[in-house]
Amino acid sequence: MTEGEVTVAITSRAPAPGGGVSTTPAAGPPAPPPAPPGPRTAWAEGVERLRAAATTEPGRLRIIGAVLAALVLLFGTSAVWEVSDRVTAAEDVVGHSQPLSADAASLYRSLADADTASSSGFLAGAQEPREVRERYEKDIANASRLLVNAAANTDAGGDSRKEIALLGQQLPRYTGLIEQARATNRQGLPLGGAYLRYANEQMSTVLLPAAQRLYEAETGRLYKDYDDARSWPAVATLTGLLALGALVWAQRRNYRRTNRVFNHGLVAATAAAAVVLLWLTVGQTLARSGLSEARSGGQESLKVLNDARIASLQARAGENLTLIARGAVLAEDKTSDKYDVEFTKNMKELDSGLATALRLADDSSGRRPVQQAVDGVAQWKRRHAAARETDMRGDYELALPQVIGDKDHKDSSGASFDTVDASLEQAVAHEQEQFTQAARGGLGALGGLVTGSAALAVIGAAAALLGIGRRLSEYR
């Protein structure tokens, strides 16, 4: 062995069984003990217990009972949640959004009628009839009241709020112009006509467009509530079918294992779930039918009639202003009278609206006033044509009573307008009643469904647990 080399040999010598010597290597250091298992989570322990329980029939029955009760309760909860949303939307249709939409239409009509009454009073000059003045003041007061009501019931920050603020700001300016025109006209000054035309321009370019946008915004919210109320409760329907399927499967399993046809608890749970599902289906179907009828048979007719009434009011204002302006304001073609052109346009819209209203009217009570309005429009056109012909001949003094009427001219175009307006008001009232009845019928179809669903779901879940408990008692 040379220097630098190290040889280590560790052996132990002991006598071998045959008398020889056995050599074995020496034992090394001891191995470290195994690490203790980490802490188990509650979820892992729950899964382990569930797996262990599923190996025995009582354990499986307990799992089945818990699942059935949970499914029935889930069905009841989803039914209560979805039906509550639809009941709230239907209540909004009946008591909130539709009244606000109707108020917005009334606001538009009040403003248009005030403009018509102001021009009629102006044509009468210093001898303005008291009933015309009272009509104007009533329209302005009604418009102010409707604005206050809309401001109190409209959501803050919406488009409606902006239009309400604009109307509240501009309406006093309009009434101020009307008072200036009225005072100047009584003094016999021609400047009164200019004030009145400017007031009419403010009405037609600022106030009425704002009222129209307000009406469209409120009607849009109404249609949204319609859609929410009519939407089908899909989650409740799916969970109901799932709960019924699970209950039927559990009863079939019970029958195959015990040859017993019925388990009273499971049968009661199935009946409760079936009743809720059937009630939900029938109630929502009837609610959708009622709300659809309210929309197609009531709200759509109301919209058409409101538009027709507005067209008649604007036509009447144009007819009056034609006499007031006396050709001073020209249309875009620079040859025709602006207000006479507007009268013709509005009368065409009125004819179209009345034709649509007749088509939508679904009973004699609804058709009768619309037909009266149609006849009144035909008469109005004839009288207007006669008055216009007289005015075009230069006989203003004779044309004036043909438009506004007097003791010698009972058959004026103004009288025809009053007939049309009264007929349309009657038709609107009828359609509003039809809408309310249909909408309330749709809302009534959902009555009691929320409470009934909750109660039956609790009963069904308890019955399922009792039915499974009866089977478990057989193992004790």
Side-chain angles (χ1 to χ4, degrees), residues 1-9:
M1 183 178 297
T2 62
E3 186 178 357
E5 293 179 350
V6 178
T7 303
V8 178

Side-chain angles (χ1 to χ4, degrees), residues 14-59:
V21 177
S22 174
T23 302
T24 59
R40 301 179 64 187
T41 63
W43 172 257
E45 291 183 1
V47 171
E48 184 63 30
R49 291 178 181 178
L50 188 64
R51 185 181 296 110
T55 60
T56 64
E57 181 62 14

Side-chain angles (χ1 to χ4, degrees), residues 85-98:
D85 286 346
R86 282 143 188 81
V87 169
T88 300
E91 288 176 344
D92 285 343
V93 167
V94 175
H96 188 70
S97 54
Q98 200 281 330

Side-chain angles (χ1 to χ4, degrees), residues 78 177 239 287 361 413 467:
S78 60
L177 289 171
T239 54
S413 62

Side-chain angles (χ1 to χ4, degrees), residues 8 13 104 113 121 134 171 213 223 270 272 286 335 355 359 416 422 438:
V8 178
R13 297 177 182 270
D113 192 58
E134 289 177 348
L171 185 57
R213 291 191 296 269
Y223 287 158
T270 304
L286 293 176
T335 58
R359 179 173 54 82
S416 299

Side-chain angles (χ1 to χ4, degrees), residues 132-470:
V132 174
R133 182 65 184 176
E134 289 177 348
R135 179 173 180 172
Y136 166 79
E137 292 175 347
K138 180 181 177 181
D139 286 332
I140 294 300
N142 189 50
S144 300
R145 178 186 61 81
L146 291 172
L147 273 177
V148 172
N149 183 62
N153 292 281
T154 302
D155 297 335
D159 294 335
S160 297
R161 182 70 63 178
K162 299 176 183 178
E163 306 305 335
I164 292 170
L166 178 61
L167 288 166
Q169 180 184 24
Q170 294 297 326
L171 185 57
R173 296 182 181 179
Y174 170 79
T175 56
L177 289 171
I178 292 297
E179 293 307 318
Q180 286 180 315
R182 184 167 176 260
T184 308
N185 188 45
R186 285 193 167 190
Q187 296 174 12
L189 300 175
L191 189 60
Y195 276 121
L196 186 68
R197 291 195 299 273
Y198 183 58
N200 173 263
E201 183 180 355
Q202 288 293 102
M203 176 64 75
S204 59
T205 61
V206 179
L207 289 170
L208 290 181
Q212 178 68 26
R213 291 191 296 269
L214 176 62
Y215 172 68
E216 291 172 354
E218 295 301 333
T219 303
R221 182 164 65 170
L222 169 62
Y223 287 158
K224 181 180 182 301
D225 289 337
Y226 267 127
D227 294 338
D228 291 343
R230 293 181 68 255
S231 61
W232 192 263
V235 175
T237 302
L238 290 175
T239 54
L241 292 174
L242 181 61
L244 279 176
L247 286 166
V248 170
W249 172 84
Q251 291 176 85
R252 184 171 180 273
R253 180 182 185 277
N254 182 65
Y255 169 72
R256 295 182 65 181
R257 289 176 178 268
T258 64
N259 287 328
R260 295 172 184 171
V261 178
F262 297 114
N263 178 291
H264 294 165
L266 294 180
V267 169
T270 304
V275 168
V276 174
L277 186 60
L278 181 62
W279 191 357
L280 176 68
T281 302
V282 174
Q284 185 64 29
T285 300
L286 293 176
R288 285 167 62 90
S289 176
L291 292 170
S292 296
E293 181 182 353
R295 179 169 179 171
S296 61
Q299 181 61 30
E300 294 299 330
S301 294
L302 279 172
K303 186 177 185 303
V304 171
L305 289 170
N306 283 326
D307 291 342
R309 195 175 182 191
I310 289 166
S312 71
L313 290 168
Q314 292 179 335
R316 179 58 180 170
E319 184 179 38
N320 290 337
L321 286 166
T322 300
L323 284 179
I324 294 171
R326 304 179 72 172
V329 183
L330 298 178
E332 293 181 357
D333 60 7
K334 303 302 180 182
T335 58
S336 305
D337 184 280
K338 173 186 175 183
Y339 300 111
D340 190 47
V341 170
E342 291 180 353
F343 170 83
T344 303
K345 174 186 174 184
N346 287 318
M347 291 300 281
K348 288 181 180 179
E349 293 177 357
L350 177 57
D351 288 335
S352 176
L354 290 176
T356 304
L358 269 178
R359 179 173 54 82
L360 293 175
D362 53 3
D363 58 6
S364 58
S365 298
R367 284 190 293 270
R368 188 181 306 112
V370 178
Q371 187 59 54
Q372 291 173 353
V374 171
D375 297 339
V377 168
Q379 184 187 69
W380 183 6
K381 288 179 179 179
R382 292 193 300 269
R383 293 176 178 179
H384 170 79
R388 186 65 179 151
E389 183 181 356
T390 302
D391 185 38
M392 293 296 290
R393 290 199 310 263
D395 195 347
Y396 174 82
E397 296 301 327
L398 181 58
L400 182 60
Q402 288 180 303
V403 173
I404 66 174
D406 60 11
K407 62 180 182 179
D408 298 324
H409 293 82
K410 302 296 184 182
D411 54 350
S412 64
S413 62
S416 299
F417 161 75
D418 290 338
T419 299
V420 172
D421 190 61
S423 299
L424 287 174
E425 184 177 7
Q426 183 181 354
V428 167
H430 172 75
E431 294 300 333
Q432 181 66 51
E433 183 180 358
Q434 293 289 96
F435 166 84
T436 302
Q437 290 178 355
R440 286 180 177 172
L443 175 60
L446 298 175
L449 185 53
V450 173
T451 304
S453 297
L456 288 172
V458 172
I459 292 173
L465 291 176
L466 288 175
I468 296 298
R470 182 66 182 271

